[in-house]
Amino acid sequence: MPAQVLDEQDRAILRLLQEDAARPQREIAEAVNLSAPAVQRRIARLERDGIIRRTVAVVDPVAVGLPITVLVEVTLTNDRSATVSTVKRFFRDAPEVQQCYCVTGTAGFILVLLVPSMEDYETRTARLFADNEMVRSYRTIVVLDRVKVTSSLPI
């Protein structure tokens, strides 16, 4: 899908919303030299067009008891479309999987998991990988420091 045509004011609004989606629209209006109703209409259009997918709170994982970030490289038993589709659904529905990427190369998937402890991760590996007949192998990488984690796009 080609990128939507956005003018500089749309991009400025998006940058401000990425910094703080709770920022009052009147502040955004002042920053981008538009009226508050014009900003409100633009935001509504950006939401309607799917450019703004949703508005969420970014939660500190350590503060909610999920201090360990684990990257997992998963290799499937085969690359048949039915297998890949089933595994996509399985990982999408697993609450401990924060991010899931279907990738090229040796591994079929790269996952990001947030867990409270390594013991907990070990327990989850059985259900997600070891006892999963569609998974040939998996490789775990434990993150030492979350140097940069963002959902902001460079627009």
Side-chain angles (χ1 to χ4, degrees):
M1 171 186 240
Q4 298 282 339
V5 177
L6 302 173
D7 65 21
E8 189 49 43
Q9 288 176 315
D10 288 335
R11 290 177 180 280
I13 290 168
L14 290 170
R15 281 192 294 273
L16 291 167
L17 290 173
Q18 286 185 124
E19 289 174 12
D20 181 4
R23 180 175 296 179
Q25 290 183 2
R26 65 176 164 64
E27 284 183 22
I28 295 171
E30 290 172 15
V32 300
N33 296 317
L34 288 172
S35 68
V39 167
Q40 184 178 23
R41 284 190 299 274
R42 283 176 180 256
I43 291 172
R45 178 181 45 81
L46 293 166
E47 290 172 339
R48 184 186 65 244
D49 292 350
I51 295 166
I52 296 175
R53 291 186 182 175
R54 61 187 174 172
T55 304
V56 299
V58 178
V59 178
D60 178 356
V62 174
V64 295
L66 299 168
I68 300 172
T69 302
V70 181
L71 310 177
V72 185
E73 183 181 85
V74 180
T75 303
L76 302 181
T77 55
N78 65 67
D79 293 328
R80 291 187 196 100
S81 60
T83 302
V84 172
S85 293
T86 301
V87 171
K88 281 181 181 179
R89 248 186 333 275
F90 179 72
F91 289 150
R92 188 180 302 119
D93 294 341
E96 58 273 85
V97 176
Q98 185 193 35
Q99 297 173 50
C100 175
Y101 301 96
C102 185
V103 298
T104 61
T106 306
F109 291 87
I110 302 291
L111 307 179
V112 177
L113 282 74
L114 299 175
V115 295
S117 66
M118 287 310 294
E119 293 80 13
D120 180 81
Y121 174 67
E122 184 179 8
T123 300
R124 293 170 192 269
T125 59
R127 182 176 59 78
L128 292 170
F129 315 118
D131 295 339
N132 186 332
E133 293 180 3
M134 294 174 283
V135 172
R136 174 180 307 153
S137 63
Y138 64 97
R139 185 173 71 108
T140 300
I141 302 165
V142 177
V143 173
L144 297 176
D145 185 11
R146 294 169 50 103
V147 176
K148 180 180 180 180
V149 178
T150 183
S151 60
S152 294
L153 302 177
I155 53 176

